[in-house]
Amino acid sequence: MPVPPPERAWRRWSPPPGYETQWRRLAEAALELDLGPDALAETGLEPIATARDWKPATVALYSKVARYGGLALPRVPTPEPDPPELDLRPLTELRASDPEHVRAVAWCALALAWPAPVGMFRSLRRDQVHAGARRLVVRTDEGEWAVPGARTAWFAWEAVRERYPALAVSPWVLPALRRGPGLDSRIGGRLSNQALQVTFAKHAGRTAQYLRATAPPTREEAAAGLAAAYRELSYDSFRRLALAAGAPPVAARGVVRAARSVARTARAPRLAG
């Protein structure tokens, strides 16, 4: 039988439940290169990754989405953080008052001491975060965690939210700040996992620009190195770095990856010797 045109071929495939948006974006990226599902299964994601300049974490994400949808793509492991130690504190520092920046800073400040997976942050409600005299407390079905060092960012984010009615009444800790393409999208609504990953990447990139622009002459080289690491940083890597630095575990998967990072660091001197 003749092979149908790529656009028609993609319409014949049903997206995996829960990943409709990512499947649509994968199909759009493939169609830009005139690749149908069968052709993509033959070539793998490398042509799309090259054309779109995808980072390793993005390639790993879309390879999973493709496999969930039934495409026989090879498994791409989620990249481990490199280097295994990185100063994450600049990502938790307030530099402006615009909602997007303050929301990202509050997220990073919480995640530095409570490194939950992005899906847990997506569903985290404001009534699950309680402000104590010295630290925040996060209570979920999995347990209770004390979160030091995040009160300033949290109160700043709460103050920003009060200026916007849709954000003030939203139950989510990390609500949407604008309407998206979906019919159900609204200001104050719950963001998708993918939207949160993009939000973090934008914050890390802007922090990298700030570090380069404000570094004194004696710190230019160090700031440039940190900025370069931030430009490649994903939230998953941020979370594993926080765990490797000693933050309490929130999910078993993160503990495993953190242990790998620590073990790799410990092996490095022995291998060098």
Side-chain angles (χ1 to χ4, degrees):
M1 294 180 62
V3 178
E7 187 172 358
R8 187 188 306 170
W10 278 107
R11 288 200 297 267
R12 292 181 177 179
W13 285 69
S14 299
Y19 292 88
E20 291 81 3
T21 300
Q22 292 84 352
W23 181 266
R24 174 178 55 79
R25 291 172 177 165
L26 176 63
E28 291 172 350
L31 287 172
E32 289 181 359
L33 301 180
D34 202 30
L35 295 174
D38 292 336
L40 183 63
E42 293 178 2
T43 64
L45 290 181
E46 184 175 352
I48 297 178
T50 301
R52 293 230 170 174
D53 194 24
W54 279 352
K55 297 178 181 178
T58 305
V59 175
L61 168 66
Y62 281 102
S63 70
K64 293 178 184 177
V65 172
R67 291 198 308 277
Y68 295 161
L71 295 181
L73 264 66
R75 184 180 300 274
V76 178
T78 301
E80 298 288 350
D82 188 21
E85 294 182 2
L86 188 68
D87 184 7
L88 302 174
R89 289 171 299 176
L91 295 166
T92 70
E93 296 172 357
L94 289 164
R95 302 188 306 272
S97 59
D98 63 279
E100 188 170 12
H101 171 72
V102 180
R103 182 188 62 179
V105 168
W107 178 14
C108 290
L110 278 168
L112 192 62
W114 188 68
V118 70
M120 290 183 69
F121 267 106
R122 175 179 183 256
S123 301
L124 187 65
R125 302 186 308 274
R126 294 168 77 186
D127 61 12
Q128 293 177 293
V129 182
H130 307 270
R134 296 184 177 181
R135 61 191 63 194
L136 301 179
V137 176
V138 177
R139 298 189 180 102
T140 72
D141 293 338
E142 287 73 26
E144 177 177 306
W145 290 266
V147 184
R151 291 178 79 256
T152 298
W154 175 257
F155 287 133
W157 174 222
E158 286 288 288
V160 167
R161 295 179 67 142
E162 291 303 319
R163 304 203 308 257
Y164 304 91
L167 298 181
V169 300
S170 173
W172 309 113
V173 167
L174 302 175
L177 301 180
R178 58 186 65 87
R179 285 181 56 87
L183 295 177
D184 296 332
S185 177
R186 59 183 178 83
I187 297 174
R190 185 162 64 155
L191 289 170
S192 67
N193 288 5
Q194 178 69 8
L196 284 175
Q197 295 279 12
V198 171
T199 294
F200 180 87
K202 289 172 61 178
H203 177 59
R206 289 168 179 168
T207 303
Q209 294 176 348
Y210 173 82
L211 292 173
R212 291 291 301 270
T214 59
T218 57
R219 294 281 301 165
E220 285 183 354
E221 185 175 350
L226 188 57
Y230 279 6
R231 284 193 291 269
E232 299 296 323
L233 191 66
S234 68
Y235 175 73
D236 292 332
S237 292
F238 174 98
R239 174 176 172 254
R240 294 195 295 272
L241 286 164
L243 284 163
V250 177
R253 185 178 180 185
V255 175
V256 171
R257 291 190 177 276
R260 290 175 183 170
S261 296
V262 173
R264 189 170 62 250
T265 304
R267 286 197 305 268
R270 295 198 299 269
L271 292 176

